[in-house]
Amino acid sequence: MTFPIDRRSVLRAGAALASGAIVPAWAQQPQTLRFAAVFSDKDIRAEMMRMFAEELKADYKVELHLNSTLFRQGTELVALQRDNLEMGNISPQDISRQVPAWSLLTSAYLFRDANHLNAFFASDAGAQMKKMAEDQLKIKILGPTFFGTRHVGLKPKKKITTPQDLAGIKLRMPPGDAWQMLGRSLGANPTPMAYAETYTGLQTGAIDGQDNPLPNVQNMKFNEVMSQIVLTSHLVGFDVLSVSQKVWNGMSPEKQRAFQAAANKAIAYSTAEHVKREQQLAEEFKRGGLEVYTPNLQAFREHAQKVYLASDEAKNWPQGMLEKINAMKS
């Protein structure tokens, strides 16, 4: 059977498409965005991403690939840049490998707390650092994902009061120069090791300790293979929730606003939950048998600052940026 095609039938079909009466099948399917991160599905940030995905489900299908199941720790940024990944939770340490000025944001005792961190990213100084990374890396940064303040957790029962007490301690740090610098700034012997291998490393004695926020310690059950937590408070931990520039530029301004609003809402939830859990966990770990105490923080702060200011990394810090961050009120 044949159907005649004349000018009138073509015009009718065109009018139907223009009015939305006929919608191609591909236009009805939400766009798939793969998200990769090192944290587990029990992490507060996993719930953050589920909330984000729910907000945008009409337009996007956000697939969560956690526990480094899609890309190993530290490779997510390059995957974003190569368009092998659409979204990631990128550490400032990984950014600093390609944008040396960002090593400032990885230094010990820089931010006082989550409020100080958020105040920085909302400021002109924060916008300057964010634009620097976006322009050089070709990604879009949606915001900082605070995940707690990092403390030292040890298997040995040695009392830690000053950085000198950590001499010779094999402290697990994530791979990368910025992380190793952080470990040295505490006085320890930094040992690079993947996050997923840390429990076994503590169990077997391959490492003596690790540094993570208390919620991470609970999520990964590090407390089962440690004897103590030293509340060094040496780093306000954060990553940056990011999307590839290709995906971002492919959105209409309206969708960009909705995407950013969903990210803001999810990040705010995650930050509040982390702050709440930190306050609860120190006491929980004490009740569980761990020794939890605060060392001489002034000694740790002064030692860390000397190490950083004498380093080559500090030469790359934007002039006056450290002073702006220190003077900022949260």
Side-chain angles (χ1 to χ4, degrees), residues 190-247:
T191 303
M193 181 178 287
Y195 188 53
E197 298 170 7
T198 303
Y199 184 100
T200 303
L202 286 165
Q203 193 174 42
T204 62
I207 53 174
D208 299 314
Q210 56 80 39
D211 88 306
N212 265 293
L214 301 186
N216 292 31
V217 171
Q218 182 192 44
N219 293 336
M220 301 302 286
K221 300 183 179 180
F222 295 152
N223 53 298
E224 295 179 349
V225 284
M226 299 189 319
S227 70
Q228 61 172 313
I229 294 175
V230 188
L231 298 173
T232 47
S233 303
H234 55 272
L235 189 73
V236 171
F238 76 97
D239 295 318
V240 287
L241 182 59
S242 304
V243 62
S244 77
Q245 196 173 78
K246 179 180 178 181
V247 170

Side-chain angles (χ1 to χ4, degrees), residues 94-160:
D94 289 341
I95 291 176
S96 72
R97 293 181 187 181
Q98 298 185 48
V99 186
W102 264 63
S103 66
L104 168 61
L105 303 186
T106 72
S107 61
Y109 297 103
L110 178 66
F111 296 112
R112 296 183 293 274
D113 51 28
N115 288 336
H116 188 199
L117 170 70
N118 289 331
F120 166 71
F121 271 94
S123 70
D124 291 341
Q128 176 186 335
M129 294 297 286
K130 193 169 82 161
K131 186 176 186 303
M132 181 192 303
E134 290 176 338
D135 289 349
Q136 293 186 43
L137 302 177
K138 307 304 180 187
I139 62 173
K140 169 64 180 177
I141 295 175
L142 299 168
T145 54
F146 169 77
F147 58 90
T149 302
R150 299 181 84 98
H151 306 288
V152 170
L154 298 177
K155 186 177 183 180
K157 294 183 178 181
K158 179 182 180 181
K159 179 80 171 182
I160 305 298

